[in-house]
Amino acid sequence: VRFHYTSTKREYDAAMLQVGDPMLGLRGVAINDGLTQHEFTCGGTCSSLFLDEPVTVLWEKLHMHKTGTRMVNEVIRGGEVFHTAKVEVFDFDQQGGFQPQQDAYQLQAGDSFRTTCFYKDGTVFKEGSQEEMCIGFMLYYPAKKFAGFPFVCPYPGRFPCAEEYVSTDLSDYEGLGREFGTPGKIQLSNDTLFSLPQPPVTSIEPPSPSNSNTDEEKMPTSAPITSSQATENPTSTSKAGQATENPTSKAESAKVHCLFVIALSSAAAAVLVI
């Protein structure tokens, strides 16, 4: 392990904002069997107390234990969801804390938070891995404090912030509200959405012979060329036996290549959507 340090203090200190139930206010509370939803809401009063200027969130981690199935952390601004971090299929054995892939973004005074955890056959809220937690970790800078308290919004409501909690039993998996993407679309960023081209045909029919005598439908024919012309263009043909370039074959090859590229694009889109 290699450690790096500096004797020069950096301009900003970073800190960890925790939302949901970071202080285990629900310690000892049982979780019902089946699918359940547990929602923690931190109102805009909290961020207004702590933030005298915008702060930048560098990354988020979503944390549950063994029976967690899905988790969503939302930032709400002006009554609308401004930012969402989520994991659709949570696996504690693989992740422990899931870090969504996202760009840095800013929090402002007045922003509120909604942290929602979903469990299947949960046990009880407690510290152990066989028990449950629901915490959203948000690394941000510059660090902020109010009256000596670090920027945090726990449950139950304690000074200086108050958080609300609601639990709901779900009847089926549709109640989880999972979203795995939009078919036929690739989401590259929050502002960029590209549509994939759809294949115009599913097969290629060979061109049928035409008896028309019009100039437009006549196929070009090759003519004898001199040896000097054959040297300049090795793919041309002559009656002496050099290779010849068939315009019809060239057109068919172009169509096949086009369809092959479209098929690869569709396959890549399917992987991204899944």
Side-chain angles (χ1 to χ4, degrees):
V1 178
R2 177 177 296 177
F3 294 94
H4 298 268
Y5 68 93
T6 177
S7 57
T8 303
K9 188 175 180 179
R10 301 302 175 94
E11 181 179 0
Y12 299 111
D13 288 331
M16 190 73 73
L17 166 61
Q18 300 180 49
V19 292
D21 189 14
M23 298 183 180
L24 274 179
L26 291 177
R27 181 185 284 105
V29 175
I31 301 174
N32 292 342
D33 289 339
L35 295 170
T36 58
Q37 171 183 314
H38 301 259
E39 181 178 286
F40 301 85
T41 304
C42 179
T45 303
C46 189
S47 59
S48 296
L49 286 174
F50 282 98
L51 302 183
D52 55 356
E53 61 177 337
V55 297
T56 300
V57 177
L58 299 175
W59 54 253
E60 296 176 58
K61 281 197 175 182
L62 310 178
H63 180 68
M64 299 185 291
H65 287 176
K66 285 283 188 179
T67 64
T69 58
R70 181 176 187 256
M71 184 170 177
V72 183
N73 194 42
E74 298 168 295
V75 178
I76 301 170
R77 180 177 298 168
E80 302 289 336
V81 176
F82 164 72
H83 172 82
T84 302
K86 59 183 178 179
V87 50
E88 299 293 1
V89 180
F90 185 87
D91 185 349
F92 180 70
D93 292 330
Q94 296 294 323
Q95 295 148 181
F98 180 83
Q99 183 172 331
Q101 296 184 9
Q102 61 186 31
D103 295 330
Y105 65 95
Q106 286 195 327
L107 296 177
Q108 299 178 2
D111 287 350
S112 58
F113 307 94
R114 182 167 58 215
T115 307
T116 310
C117 291
F118 299 82
Y119 306 97
K120 183 178 185 301
D121 297 329
T123 54
V124 62
F125 285 103
K126 220 169 180 182
E127 292 87 348
S129 294
Q130 303 301 323
E131 296 147 347
E132 275 307 332
M133 287 185 170
C134 179
I135 307 174
F137 296 93
M138 307 167 74
L139 180 68
Y140 75 95
Y141 80 93
K144 295 295 180 180
K145 290 184 177 182
F146 177 79
F149 288 87
F151 188 9
V152 64
C153 196
Y155 176 83
R158 298 172 183 171
F159 181 81
C161 295
E163 193 171 43
E164 298 179 355
Y165 164 72
V166 177
S167 65
T168 306
D169 292 339
L170 305 177
S171 59
D172 52 38
Y173 279 94
E174 290 186 2
L176 295 176
R178 284 172 169 160
E179 297 178 351
F180 295 102
T182 304
K185 304 288 184 179
I186 297 180
Q187 186 79 44
L188 297 182
S189 69
N190 291 336
D191 303 321
T192 308
L193 185 65
F194 290 96
S195 296
L196 287 175
Q198 299 299 319
V201 294
T202 57
S203 62
I204 299 176
E205 295 292 338
S208 58
S210 174
N211 295 325
S212 174
N213 293 325
T214 61
D215 292 337
E216 294 181 355
E217 296 180 351
K218 285 182 179 180
M219 298 301 294
T221 58
S222 57
I225 59 174
T226 64
S227 58
S228 61
Q229 290 174 322
T231 302
E232 295 175 357
N233 185 7
T235 62
S236 299
T237 187
S238 71
K239 291 183 179 179
Q242 287 95 344
T244 206
E245 183 178 14
N246 190 325
T248 302
S249 298
K250 183 177 181 181
E252 292 178 12
S253 298
K255 291 180 180 178
V256 172
H257 177 73
C258 179
L259 286 177
F260 180 72
V261 171
I262 293 174
L264 285 179
S265 299
S266 299
V271 173
L272 285 176
V273 169
I274 294 173

